[in-house]
Amino acid sequence: MAKFIIKFSRFLNNSALNVSAALMGLMALLVFYQVITRFVFGAPSAWSEISARVMMVWMVYISMGCVFSRGSMISITFFVEVLPDIFGLWVKRVVTIIALIFLGVLIWYGWDIAVRVKNQNVAMLNISAFWLYISIPIGAVLSIPSLLEWHILNVENKPEPADLKITKTAEV
């Protein structure tokens, strides 16, 4: 089961990074278009700025799982390091449970707000606000396998399956 979770998480993360990169490229084009229409033609585009904002929101929530899988969440490791190993292990387990509960809250309330605003339109785009707010529960659902992957590899210290090992490359 652990191998499946790791494989599935990595597939989701690679897909999320590719989609996020595409959204980043589209955002750059839209902002460039906005600058050209505003400062060159003197007639700013009404839809390009809000479209770039919507893409930014989607990009953040889609790639949220990548942060979990890399263990890049904001953490205070001092307390865990001061505790004896067994207590530190249980603190990490509790933190994983709290993070899962938080993702559950994002799913529950994100869906609730998306449904509540489905009859409202996003200004200048004339699309339902549902399509903006649905990014919250979708991003939370996509983050769960990544959080579980991090937990399996870093808290439970299960060895990474040989066929899934990532070789280190130059870091940025």
Side-chain angles (χ1 to χ4, degrees), residues 41-61:
F41 298 117
S45 168
W47 59 272
S48 60
E49 184 179 342
I50 189 69
S51 296
R53 274 193 233 157
V54 169
M55 287 179 192
M56 172 83 72
V57 169
W58 270 95
M59 186 181 67
V60 166
Y61 281 108

Side-chain angles (χ1 to χ4, degrees), residues 67-114:
V67 175
F68 281 112
S69 68
R70 292 191 170 114
S72 298
M73 299 85 63
I74 296 174
S75 62
I76 302 173
T77 58
F78 170 76
F79 298 111
V80 176
E81 292 169 357
V82 170
L83 295 171
D85 288 342
I86 189 69
F87 293 125
L89 176 66
W90 280 100
V91 166
K92 291 177 185 177
R93 288 176 177 162
V94 168
V95 166
T96 299
I97 291 169
I98 291 170
L100 284 170
I101 290 169
F102 175 71
L103 291 174
V105 168
L106 283 179
I107 293 166
W108 183 267
Y109 287 104
W111 176 257
D112 184 46
I113 193 72

Side-chain angles (χ1 to χ4, degrees), residues 14-15 31 34 37 47 120 122:
N14 286 336
S15 300
V31 170
Q34 174 70 10
T37 59
W47 59 272
Q120 298 175 15
V122 176

Side-chain angles (χ1 to χ4, degrees), residues 10-24 59 62-63 66-67 70:
R10 293 196 178 158
F11 169 76
L12 287 178
N13 287 336
N14 286 336
S15 300
L17 288 175
N18 288 331
V19 169
S20 293
L23 288 175
M24 180 70 82
M59 186 181 67
I62 286 174
S63 58
C66 299
V67 175
R70 292 191 170 114

Side-chain angles (χ1 to χ4, degrees), residues 68-169:
F68 281 112
S69 68
R70 292 191 170 114
S72 298
M73 299 85 63
I74 296 174
S75 62
I76 302 173
T77 58
F78 170 76
F79 298 111
V80 176
E81 292 169 357
V82 170
L83 295 171
D85 288 342
I86 189 69
F87 293 125
L89 176 66
W90 280 100
V91 166
K92 291 177 185 177
R93 288 176 177 162
V94 168
V95 166
T96 299
I97 291 169
I98 291 170
L100 284 170
I101 290 169
F102 175 71
L103 291 174
V105 168
L106 283 179
I107 293 166
W108 183 267
Y109 287 104
W111 176 257
D112 184 46
I113 193 72
V115 170
R116 285 184 190 206
V117 299
K118 71 180 177 188
N119 293 326
Q120 298 175 15
N121 284 340
V122 176
M124 305 297 178
L125 291 181
N126 203 24
I127 61 168
S128 173
F130 175 86
W131 298 110
L132 176 62
Y133 285 95
I134 197 65
S135 63
I136 298 169
I138 288 174
V141 167
L142 294 175
S143 297
I144 291 172
S146 300
L147 177 61
L148 295 176
E149 175 192 1
W150 176 83
H151 182 82
I152 289 166
L153 296 175
N154 297 291
V155 177
E156 300 303 326
N157 292 321
K158 302 249 179 177
E160 190 170 9
D163 58 333
L164 297 178
K165 282 201 188 259
I166 297 176
T167 57
K168 280 278 190 184
T169 58

